[in-house]
């Protein structure tokens, strides 16, 4: 489940309910239900800004049917949440640590030296012959 998306209009802090997409070749603006994923060339609008949308003269607005009620979590979202809870519950508790205290982690070891030339953070490995 993702975070609630906000309206794309500046200074608007309302939740987005619709997605606006421009089709420049057809001089059309398409306003429809909120897209599943945020797209870089689309605008998410709140109910107020979606209702008061105006387009340039000569353009058409295509308004797609909007759902009457906001979509709730679907079966996939609920299954993912249930699986995450089951996974967290099935993990064995950390042994030897008191609740509220951090466990000590062993120091990290440097990787074994590999034969080759080093350039910055990359390493060139020679083909074994």
């Amino acid at each position: 489940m993702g975070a609630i998306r906000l309206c794309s209009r500046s200074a608007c802090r309302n939740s987005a309910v619709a997605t606006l997409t421009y089709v420049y070749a057809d001089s059309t603006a398409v306003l429809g239900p909120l897209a599943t994923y945020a797209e870089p060339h689309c605008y998410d609008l709140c109910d107020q800004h979606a209702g008061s949308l105006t387009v340039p003269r000569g353009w058409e607005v295509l308004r797609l049917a909007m759902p009457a009620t906001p979509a709730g979590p679907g079966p996939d979202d609920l299954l993912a949440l249930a699986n995450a809870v089951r996974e967290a519950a099935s993990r064995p508790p950390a042994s030897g640590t008191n609740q509220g205290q951090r466990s000590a982690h062993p120091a990290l070891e440097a990787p074994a030296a590999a034969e080759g030339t080093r350039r910055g953070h990359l390493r060139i490995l020679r083909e074994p012959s």
Side-chain angles (χ1 to χ4, degrees):
M1 288 191 271
I4 295 175
R5 296 197 324 240
L6 298 177
C7 183
S8 296
R9 297 289 302 258
S10 60
C12 182
R13 292 279 157 239
N14 294 326
S15 299
V17 297
T19 298
L20 172 66
T21 307
Y22 289 108
V23 182
Y24 293 99
D26 298 332
S27 298
T28 304
V30 181
L31 184 67
L34 187 63
T36 306
Y37 300 102
E39 297 288 335
H41 300 290
C42 295
Y43 302 93
D44 296 334
L45 300 176
C46 65
D47 195 34
Q48 176 188 358
H49 288 117
S52 64
L53 175 71
T54 60
V55 294
R57 187 174 299 153
W59 280 57
E60 254 186 278
V61 178
L62 180 60
R63 293 180 187 267
L64 302 178
M66 300 290 283
T69 59
D76 292 337
D77 295 333
L78 296 176
L79 284 174
L81 180 60
N83 289 337
V85 170
R86 279 190 210 107
E87 183 181 324
S90 67
R91 287 191 202 134
S95 60
T97 60
N98 294 338
Q99 191 171 2
Q101 292 182 350
R102 290 184 165 193
S103 60
H105 294 285
L108 295 175
E109 296 179 20
E115 188 178 307
T117 308
R118 184 173 170 92
R119 297 187 64 167
H121 65 283
L122 301 176
R123 189 178 305 242
I124 300 172
L125 299 177
R126 304 279 180 226
E127 188 72 34
S129 36

